[in-house]
Amino acid sequence: MSSIYKLPTALVLFLLTIVGPGVQGAEVPRIIGGQFASPGQFPYQVSLQLKGRHHCGGSLISDTVIVTAAHCTMGQNPSQMKAVVGTNDLGAGNGQAFGISQLIIHPQYNPQSQDFDMSLIRLSTPVQLGGAIQTIQLADADANYAADTLATISGFGAINQNLQLPNRLKFAQVQLWGRDFCNAQNIPGLTDRMVCAGHPSGQVSSCQGDSGGPLTVDGKLFGVVSWGFGCGAKGRPAMYTYVGALRSWIKQTANV
């Protein structure tokens, strides 16, 4: 497990700068594995902020509840956190910030293995839904998809291995990995509460700052960014908390 690092502050989509064909002496910025989101494209996306700085991602599932990763909220004081919604650019000042009244960590969360890595966040006041602020539907408890199904990740996390944080929201498509590889034999510590997604090249991935953010399939929240082997490690997927496995706990706890 020493080669596996946990992502305590969330994953970010991997950006590389390369020289494009036909351009001499100039560096052409080209995002590998990610694009900048347009306004309102991901209306459920949340930036969880700690002491005024982006800390983790999250997904709005009701007007008062956010889903995120347990490792994002473990040991944190709700009074020092805010949830910012309704923006694709944290530097633009057009998002809405909400206080947090309660952090509910899954009772079986294991910070060593990251099993049951999920938290629910209750907001101090309800969000006014509409326009650039919408909830996302949760995947069903029995939701399952074939290997190589395309999923979408989004976040305000790091855009390179130097952990540079942008203010702008990025997104990318990743492939779900089947259990023929995504299993405890190949990935020690993997459990039934985890799913794998990524790209064999390693150039499509989450990174620090994206933790707790959404992995969606068919417009539903299928996974929560949890942990990985680094930002864009070749031949290695990122691990996501499987929403279907914890669907009954979410329903019981948040009535969603």
Side-chain angles (χ1 to χ4, degrees):
M1 295 290 289
S2 61
S3 64
I4 302 175
Y5 77 98
K6 303 303 185 287
L7 303 176
T9 55
L11 294 166
V12 177
L13 306 179
F14 191 44
L15 178 150
L16 296 177
T17 302
I18 63 175
V19 178
V23 181
Q24 297 184 5
E27 288 189 342
V28 179
R30 186 175 300 174
I31 297 166
I32 305 297
Q35 303 176 56
F36 288 113
S38 58
Q41 187 174 359
F42 297 94
Y44 49 82
Q45 180 77 45
V46 178
S47 167
L48 295 178
Q49 306 204 343
L50 180 64
K51 298 179 181 179
R53 295 175 62 89
H54 175 76
H55 173 63
C56 275
S59 302
L60 191 67
I61 63 169
S62 80
D63 62 354
T64 57
V65 178
I66 292 165
V67 170
T68 189
H71 74 259
C72 289
T73 62
M74 189 79 172
Q76 302 299 340
N77 186 333
S79 66
Q80 295 182 325
M81 299 184 75
K82 296 283 186 183
V84 176
V85 299
T87 185
N88 67 319
D89 187 345
L90 298 177
N94 60 349
Q96 297 184 36
F98 292 83
I100 293 171
S101 64
Q102 188 179 16
L103 305 174
I104 308 171
I105 296 175
H106 194 284
Q108 293 175 267
Y109 171 58
N110 184 325
Q112 281 71 49
S113 67
Q114 299 303 314
D115 200 8
F116 294 93
D117 188 14
M118 182 177 285
S119 281
L120 298 177
I121 294 176
R122 291 193 187 277
L123 300 177
S124 300
T125 56
V127 173
Q128 186 68 39
L129 299 175
I133 305 175
Q134 303 287 346
T135 60
I136 186 169
Q137 188 175 351
L138 297 168
D140 296 333
D142 59 352
N144 198 9
Y145 296 93
D148 298 330
T149 297
L150 289 180
T152 302
I153 52 176
S154 56
F156 291 99
I159 57 174
N160 53 39
Q161 293 179 330
N162 294 324
L163 305 185
Q164 177 186 356
L165 288 173
N167 282 322
R168 294 171 64 190
L169 182 65
K170 293 191 71 184
F171 73 97
Q173 287 193 318
V174 293
Q175 298 161 271
L176 299 182
W177 290 42
R179 290 297 183 190
D180 56 340
F181 178 87
C182 183
N183 57 57
Q185 181 176 352
N186 289 322
I187 305 176
L190 194 84
T191 75
D192 290 342
R193 272 73 58 188
M194 303 172 188
V195 293
C196 305
H199 190 277
S201 69
Q203 293 181 333
V204 181
S205 182
S206 322
C207 192
Q208 263 116 343
D210 293 326
S211 285
L215 170 84
T216 67
V217 182
D218 294 336
K220 295 183 180 181
L221 185 64
F222 183 68
V224 172
V225 178
S226 182
W227 61 278
F229 296 89
C231 302
K234 186 175 181 179
R236 294 288 192 174
M239 262 50 70
Y240 300 79
T241 304
Y242 176 33
V243 170
L246 304 184
R247 184 69 184 86
S248 60
W249 177 73
I250 298 172
K251 178 67 175 178
Q252 182 181 17
T253 307
N255 196 32
V256 178

